[in-house]
């Protein structure tokens, strides 16, 4: 029996362990800015909904409750500007990483097919291609790819790791090209509500999709906007034919969002106040970290949205990781996201205010002694 894991790249985070140990040895403790995992409380309105639905002895459905589908459809119309989002245009999933990793397999892709994603990208796009035996392909501009055999095109705006946002005109151009060649677009929009210097645009907006969702699937998550990473709460929206096929496959696979989590998602999508509050937290941390990093000699590129600062000192990323680890600050090396990131590091905004303040202080102290 051949090991499926042999198709996959080495798990990159293991390489960071020695630097984590160095940072943890700092007298004031580690400031971990390496992983974008939420640290702030789950909103009370969401927790209350989860508890109220805790007595759920029966199996949930893969498609979710009518209330959940109503909530997803309504949110897509209200926040994405999408028009006439029917229940057939939405599907809850068990966290967005699960969907990214298994979408090519569930679409029936395999040997001879190609899956494309940005040159700097979330590593799970490549993993998804390799799991089904398809060929992973990177791009700078997707419309310059050879469309032969290209079955799935990943977009990611706002980008992880760079925070770059694709503009409306750019999206229109890419969607038109993909439709011309019969290529399905999966648009990872999980950081959509965290735009700082640019306003993200969804592929489902009528100005982009032209009023039809044909050939388009948008991926959204509640992990960042609502601090629900631990709930595994996400959904996809778009082409009803694609989602209908995925629904049937996922029924057979038992890919069900837990009933209490479904109720929590309904509450989260119906409340914008906690999202505004969380945005304000992240904006304050972003401002403090960016100012401190730039004063320390870093240059920040893109980073107009999402939960990260894409930073460089114009040196090899592991040298930067080592330098910051000596200050007790752990960041992610840019080459985790592709060779194009080998002179950058990704700095997450997901640390408590106290830990961010500690990082800012250490960066300032080191700068003053140089």
């Amino acid at each position: 029996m051949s090991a499926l894991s042999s198709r996959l790249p080495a798990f990159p985070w293991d390489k960071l362990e020695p630097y984590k140990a160095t940072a943890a040895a700092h007298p004031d403790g580690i400031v971990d800015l390496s992983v974008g995992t939420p640290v702030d409380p789950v909103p009370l309105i969401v927790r209350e909904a989860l508890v109220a639905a805790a007595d759920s002895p029966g199996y949930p459905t893969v498609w979710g409750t009518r209330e959940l589908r109503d909530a997803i459809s309504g949110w897509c119309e209200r926040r994405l500007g999408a028009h006439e989002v029917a229940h057939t245009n939405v599907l809850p999933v068990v966290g967005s990483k699960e969907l990214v990793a298994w979408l090519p397999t569930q679409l029936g892709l395999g040997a001879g097919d190609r899956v494309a994603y940005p040159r700097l990208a979330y590593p799970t796009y490549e993993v998804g291609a390799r799991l089904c035996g398809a060929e992973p392909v990177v791009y700078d501009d997707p419309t310059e790819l050879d469309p032969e055999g290209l079955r799935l095109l990943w977009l990611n705006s706002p980008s992880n790791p760079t925070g770059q946002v694709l503009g409306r005109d750019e999206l229109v151009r890419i969607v038109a090209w993909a439709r011309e060649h019969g290529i399905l677009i999966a648009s990872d929009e999980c950081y959509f509500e965290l735009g700082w210097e640019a306003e993200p645009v969804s592929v489902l907006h009528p100005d982009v999709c032209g009023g039809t969702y044909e050939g388009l699937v948008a991926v959204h998550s509640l992990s960042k906007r609502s601090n629900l990473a631990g709930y595994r709460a996400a959904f996809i929206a778009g082409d009803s034919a694609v989602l209908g096929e995925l629904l049937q496959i996922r029924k057979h696979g038992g890919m069900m969002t837990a009933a209490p989590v479904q109720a929590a998602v309904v509450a989260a999508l119906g409340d914008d106040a906690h999202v505004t509050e969380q945005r304000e937290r992240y904006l304050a941390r972003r401002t403090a970290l960016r100012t401190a990093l730039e004063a320390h000699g870093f240059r920040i590129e893109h980073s107009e949205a999402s939960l990260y600062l894409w930073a460089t000192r114009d040196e090899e990323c592991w040298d930067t990781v080592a330098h910051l680890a000596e200050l007790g600050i752990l960041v992610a090396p840019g080459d985790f996201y592709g060779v194009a990131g080998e002179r950058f590091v990704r700095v997450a905004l997901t640390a408590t205010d106290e830990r961010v303040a500690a990082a800012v202080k250490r960066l300032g102290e080191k700068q003053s002694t140089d």
Side-chain angles (χ1 to χ4, degrees), residues 12 19 48 90 106 115 120 122 133 167 179 235 265 305 314 353 356 364:
Y19 302 92
E48 289 175 342
V90 301
Q106 292 174 16
V115 175
L120 279 169
Y122 182 48
R179 284 175 168 168
F235 61 88
V265 171
D314 294 311
D353 292 342
V356 168

Side-chain angles (χ1 to χ4, degrees), residues 223-269:
S223 293
K224 317 300 184 183
R225 73 182 294 278
S226 301
N227 300 330
L228 297 190
Y231 283 46
R232 310 315 301 133
F235 61 88
I236 55 178
D239 191 323
S240 60
V242 175
L243 268 59
E245 177 68 11
L246 291 175
L247 175 58
Q248 296 306 314
I249 293 166
R250 294 171 71 84
K251 282 181 179 179
H252 283 289
M255 293 175 155
M256 302 171 284
T257 302
V261 173
Q262 292 189 28
V265 171
V266 172
L269 292 178

Side-chain angles (χ1 to χ4, degrees), residues 50-257:
L50 183 82
V51 171
D55 187 13
S56 298
Y59 289 111
T61 64
V62 171
W63 203 16
T65 63
R66 176 171 291 276
E67 291 77 15
L68 176 58
R69 284 176 267 136
D70 281 342
I72 296 172
S73 298
W75 183 87
C76 287
E77 292 178 354
R78 186 176 80 254
R79 294 295 296 121
L80 304 183
H83 289 177
E84 298 181 359
V85 181
H87 283 194
T88 53
N89 297 120
V90 301
L91 180 64
V93 296
V94 191
S96 59
K97 184 169 185 175
E98 169 262 303
L99 186 280
V100 172
W102 293 107
L103 180 61
T105 297
Q106 292 174 16
L107 291 172
L109 274 57
D113 296 322
R114 299 161 70 225
V115 175
Y117 51 88
R119 189 172 300 279
L120 279 169
Y122 182 48
T124 311
Y125 303 134
E126 178 186 357
V127 168
R130 294 191 180 280
L131 281 171
C132 73
E135 177 189 354
V137 180
V138 299
Y139 66 79
D140 295 308
D141 179 346
T143 67
E144 295 178 356
L145 292 170
D146 179 358
E148 182 68 27
L150 184 57
R151 300 283 305 282
L152 179 63
L153 172 62
W154 281 105
L155 303 181
N156 181 206
S157 176
S159 163
N160 174 16
T162 70
Q164 184 177 12
V165 172
L166 295 176
R168 191 179 309 256
D169 292 345
E170 183 79 349
L171 288 171
V172 169
R173 183 177 66 84
I174 294 169
V175 167
W177 178 85
R179 284 175 168 168
E180 177 186 354
H181 296 287
I183 301 165
L184 177 66
I185 287 180
S187 180
D188 182 346
E189 302 173 357
C190 288
Y191 296 91
F192 184 86
E193 296 201 90
L194 296 169
W196 312 116
E197 297 166 5
E199 191 67 32
V201 181
S202 173
V203 294
L204 303 185
H205 192 284
D207 289 352
V208 175
C209 71
T212 172
Y213 304 134
E214 180 182 358
L216 304 174
V217 174
V219 182
H220 285 270
S221 168
L222 285 85
S223 293
K224 317 300 184 183
R225 73 182 294 278
S226 301
N227 300 330
L228 297 190
Y231 283 46
R232 310 315 301 133
F235 61 88
I236 55 178
D239 191 323
S240 60
V242 175
L243 268 59
E245 177 68 11
L246 291 175
L247 175 58
Q248 296 306 314
I249 293 166
R250 294 171 71 84
K251 282 181 179 179
H252 283 289
M255 293 175 155
M256 302 171 284
T257 302

